[in-house]
Amino acid sequence: MNPNTSGEIDNKKIITRLLFAVVAMFGFGFALVPLYDVFCDITGINGKTGDQITLSETMKVDTSREIKVEFVASLNAEMPWEFRPVQKSVRVHPGEPTRIDYVAINKTDNRIIGQAVPSVAPGLAAQYFQKTECFCFTEQILEAKEQKIMPVIFVVDPGISEDINEITLSYTFFIKPGSEVISENVQEPPKTHYNN
Amino acid sequence: MSAVIEAHDHHDHKPTGIGRWLFSTNHKDIGTMYLWFSFIMFFIGGAMALVIRAELFQPGLQFVEPEFFNQMTTLHGLIMVFGVIMPGFVGLANWMVPMMIGAPDMALPRMNNWSFWLLPGAFGILIASLVMSMMGMGSAPNFGWTFYAPLSTTYGPDSTDYFIFSVHMMGLSSIMGAINIIATIMNLRAPGMTYMKMPIFVWTWFITAYLLIAVMPVLAGVVTMMLTDRNFGTSFFDAAGGGDPVLFQHIFWFFGHPEVYIMILPAFGVISQIVPTFARKKIFGYSSMVYATASIAFLSFIVWAHHMFTTGMPVEAELFFMYATMLIAIPTGVKVFNWVSTMWRGSMTFETPMLFAIAFIFLFTIGGFTGLMMCITPADFQYHDTYFIVAHFHYVLATGAAFSIMAAVYFWLPKWTGNMYDETLGKIHFWLTTISANVLFFPMHFVGLAGMPRRIPDYSLQFAEFNQMASVGAFIFGFSQLIFLYVVIKCIRGGEKATEQVWEGADGLEWTLPSPPPFHSFTTPPQVK
Amino acid sequence: MRAAIRVASLLSLIFTSGQALAGYQMNLSPGVTTFSQGAYEIHTLVLWICVVIGTVVFGAMIYSIITHRKSKGAVAATFDDNTTIEIVWTVVPFIILIAMAIPATRVLLAMEDVSNSDMSIKITGYQWKWHYDYNVGEKAEDISFFSNISTPDARSLATSMNVVKDENYLLDVDNRMVVPVNKKVRLLFTSSDVIHAWWVPAFGVKKDTIPGFINESWINVPEPGVYRGKCAELCGTNHGFMPVVVEAKSEEDYAAWVASQKTAAADVAASANKTWTKDELMAKGKTAYATNCAACHQANGEGLAGVFPGLKGSAIAIGDIARHIDVVIHGVSGTAMAAYAGQMNDVDLAAVITYERNAWGNNAGDMVQPSDIKAAR
């Protein structure tokens, strides 16, 4: 082999291959997004919970175990609602569907669209924490001064590790990105009286 | 006709004036421009570091607002990483790779021109945002060089979009540079120069170029996602739309960890050229050096999450990344042992390049040790985001990568200019730099362990003594570099004429060319035995 | 090998003399919990392994530098390979690494076991303060509060020199997080805006707070005391001014604290029903402004050019009062201005708005009562 004789053709081949690698790696960066979701489903990073499920008949209630589930509610900085769980915690048997409620109040004079983001701790419990009904599956619209009870029906899969006996379910309400506060009277602030 | 030959025809005689630099396709001229660019950026980024250290000289705010302080830490990091270390090494590669493998020039000379001239644009944008910030027009990037979402997306200043553009340009520049280096090494080696005969510097750059190809596009991807998140309504990193801020960190560090090795592998190459020269002995364990470099490069892809232990990963993931990171110590250790063995029973002299190389081995190893400490997950919970980390990566990058560039400049300057540099001034520069660098960075270990977080403009009183010491070191370190600048300029302007071989123990094709070498390095390929 | 011994003794001097030098700390503190002590032990172990390896490697290097120099007439040997020794220095480090990995794994597994807790506290990071919520889980207590740096003036160049710099400078808050001793307290972390990290070195706990997601850790503090830490993840302008202070109290003292918090909450609620005088509002407003608003809008109301708008003479601060209230309690979407409805009580909001309308030469002249805030929420 005499490398010095290899000229343009080789260069072109090299450039083509390397450019292909560059494009592939750029794509790989984006592929990490769905890959990460798969990875999260498996390992429970960040306690991401899955989509809506329908209860399977085969799921057995395991009455020998009891798991403490605690509920917390948070608001993103720009979200002016009030938001809290009605029940602070429940004890459930794995496999037993349970309903709890959250309540959200829009005390402003504007209609606001919110999106709740669920998260479960510990992360390893996330894939066993299944919801048949949840207000986080869709965006929530609260009219001015509206108060809304938002139910969650969940079941803890009996396959969950024996080591886990406490689970926290958290929701954070964000103002839906891109949805500004929608209201006819946004120009006209609420009437209050002042002491001058 | 081939692009290479065409370019040669066009530039058969040395062009003059500004056109020589603007339209240059010559590997030496472009290499020179890269090195000067890196040097200028070193002073700009260094000035920012001095603002940081002046503010941290004593508790309380003295000089800058916290907001401006954050811009300083951000731009200092970005400039040092992308504007100093990386272009510095590309400059060395441009100058040395063709000469070391017996080639006339780089394989893709016009692309070479492009990849350089993107850089002033990229950094011009970045620095312009700082100038605007100083004029009270918005804020420059202020989210740290790691630009974590959502601080850089939802909460980023307006200049973030310019920052994204700038990063895209830097990435393009690096990718083109890497393609060029790979093509040159694959195609333009002299007859008989097999892969396992290539100098270690060429090898480390060959592997580094592949790392660049693999991860710079990922960086481009992550900033593109930021761009669409900020401006086009996507939610890659915004939990509100189903995204995840931690995903940002995974993608960033998938780029970021190999990036760390991009900045250190060429340094290993430089040291592996210098130590044998001044020990007058062949490099010990050539093939294990090559294999160690390759395994470090491979491992760099599977350790990224060790930057993210506190984000709340499952314990299995923490263990995996801890073990994988520990493994890196093995090939890195092999390198250090090989350098020591090369020195062992040699016949050493201690000119400035050798002094810097020895300082590199000492200080980089200290940085390696602290790196080993922080891969231990439970201990890292305490170290993470403290000055212990700052100390670690400055030992690796400042007294590591930057020292190796200084060593390389002293080592090859006589070859480049045809004149010997001023050895006395070089040694003064070395001792001032090395002592002050340790006064600057060593106390950071202590304040870090004692609990001082990084990226803070003000600190509690118990950290005062060591911060004061570090600031004193910083100013000596900074101003010592003016000596370096003087030595370089003096050497370019004249001095004792250098021989072809320059150093008594020098071995390799580059030392067979006259000093300075002809405009086209090897017009007829040399024969390698 | 004299050189090697010298280096070893020098290094050990550096690392052990830390405690001897009074006034400042040079090493990790062992802390009070099993986490922090585990971290300290593994840190010490790995540090010493590094010191020993370093001594050997640097010793060999220094010996070689001294002996194998040309000026001493050394002639270069010709060896450049030795397979045996290369295998040795690949395998030996591997064994050392395994020796480090085993205790590290043990410590880590203990840390990640969050089960069987006695109570839960939710910690939320805000730009730039902490929120502690005890209203979580089976042992929920109706207590929640923000914890701000106690010296808000430290955050600005103009006012920093006015701050007294004592031993707890930048390490003190207005409201401490309080926990009972000898209870396994589960900590839940989340954030309202960007990523922060809650860190108390003495507990060995450092966890990121991530908007939208929940992280957990736990502490079990064995002895009463005050433990201090800081935010450890860059979170914007005032990242350096987010101290964490945790006070561990005996069970009785903790119960008393819980009772006092509830009384205090009732007092605040009561004070919201009375009508305040302008002087009272201005006085209260000045403090509340320094704590909640000055981080961005600055103590002098002038903001930071191009970054945070000033309030001095601004159209909102001296214009329509209803609009002013709306902006403060509901925030401004798409900007850094958060909704303060959930972050401050009626009295503080009324006071802050009154203050903003009448300070720094702003001459709206009017005032806002807590009842106005209540109505506008």
Side-chain angles (χ1 to χ4, degrees), chain B residues 55 59-67 70-71 74 136-139 142-144 148-151 155 239 243-246 249 279-288 309-313 315 318-319 322-323 326-327 329-330 334 336-338 340-341 343-350 358 361-363 365-366 369-370 372-373 376-386 388 442 445-462 465-466 504, chain C residues 14-15 23-29 35-36 38-39 42-43 46-47 49-51 53-54 57-58 60-65 68-71 74-82 85-86 89-90 93-94 97 100-101 104-105 107-109 111-112 127 154-158 160-161 165-171 192-195 197 199-208 210-213 215 230-241 298 304-308 335-336:
Chain B
E55 182 52 63
L61 297 173
Q62 278 86 31
F63 301 105
V64 294
E65 292 286 355
E67 170 62 30
N70 288 348
Q71 298 170 27
T74 305
M137 294 147 74
S139 182
N142 56 6
F143 28 65
Y148 281 6
L151 187 60
Y155 294 82
D244 184 347
V246 177
Q249 297 182 28
R280 291 166 181 77
K281 192 160 153 276
K282 277 174 82 178
I283 185 91
F284 184 88
Y286 173 90
S287 44
S288 67
F309 283 144
T310 63
T311 56
M313 278 186 283
V315 67
E318 287 175 339
L319 288 173
M322 172 168 81
Y323 298 149
M326 287 175 127
L327 285 180
I330 294 172
V334 166
V336 174
F337 298 144
N338 281 352
V340 176
S341 308
M343 288 160 66
W344 193 260
R345 290 182 54 207
S347 169
M348 278 186 276
T349 52
F350 300 92
I358 289 171
I361 301 174
F362 270 105
L363 300 176
T365 305
I366 290 177
F369 283 141
T370 50
L372 184 60
M373 290 170 73
I376 308 291
T377 315
D380 183 70
F381 290 148
Q382 294 285 46
Y383 308 142
H384 178 78
D385 261 338
T386 67
F388 194 68
F442 210 81
H445 290 117
F446 302 140
V447 287
L449 291 176
M452 179 168 162
R454 65 193 279 205
R455 294 165 168 162
I456 56 172
D458 194 6
Y459 50 81
S460 314
L461 298 190
Q462 67 266 39
E465 286 86 353
F466 288 127
E504 189 190 20
Chain C
I14 288 171
F15 291 118
Y24 44 79
Q25 184 191 341
M26 297 170 89
N27 198 354
L28 217 55
S29 79
F35 284 11
S36 60
I42 192 87
H43 157 80
V46 179
L47 176 63
I49 290 175
C50 289
V51 167
I53 299 173
V57 175
F58 294 159
M61 240 173 103
I62 292 169
Y63 175 80
S64 176
I65 289 169
H68 306 139
R69 46 171 71 211
K70 198 184 175 196
S71 57
V75 179
T78 50
F79 67 88
D80 66 351
D81 218 350
N82 185 327
I85 195 161
E86 287 179 64
W89 67 42
T90 310
F94 192 74
L97 287 178
M100 290 184 338
T105 307
V107 171
L108 186 64
L109 289 175
M111 282 187 178
E112 298 291 343
Q127 280 181 330
R155 297 177 297 195
S156 161
L157 196 51
S160 169
M161 72 283 261
K165 295 179 180 62
D166 57 14
E167 59 170 333
N168 290 327
Y169 176 59
L170 302 183
L171 287 172
S192 163
D193 35 54
V194 301
I195 299 177
W199 178 35
V200 177
F203 300 159
V205 173
K206 184 185 285 153
K207 233 6 163 199
D208 288 1
I210 300 163
F213 297 94
N215 255 330
K230 292 199 151 195
C231 174
E233 180 64 65
L234 179 62
C235 55
T237 310
N238 289 315
H239 160 59
F241 306 93
Q298 304 297 308
L304 276 183
V307 187
F308 302 117
T335 71

Side-chain angles (χ1 to χ4, degrees), chain C residues 356-370:
Chain C
E356 287 172 356
R357 299 180 72 76
N358 297 288
W360 327 292
N362 282 0
N363 55 359
D366 47 11
M367 62 174 162
V368 181
Q369 288 295 337

Side-chain angles (χ1 to χ4, degrees), chain A residues 93-112:
Chain A
H93 299 299
E96 175 182 66
T98 309
R99 176 190 157 139
I100 55 108
D101 294 310
Y102 274 78
V103 60
I105 310 161
N106 178 6
K107 287 196 162 181
T108 72
D109 293 285
N110 304 320
R111 176 175 184 255
I112 291 174

Side-chain angles (χ1 to χ4, degrees), chain B residues 10 16 18 24 55 70 152 155 158 163 169 269 271 295 315 445 470 505-506 528:
Chain B
H10 187 68
T16 48
I18 183 116
S24 176
E55 182 52 63
N70 288 348
S152 63
Y155 294 82
D158 291 343
F163 155 82
M169 286 167 78
I271 302 307
S295 35
V315 67
H445 290 117
V528 179

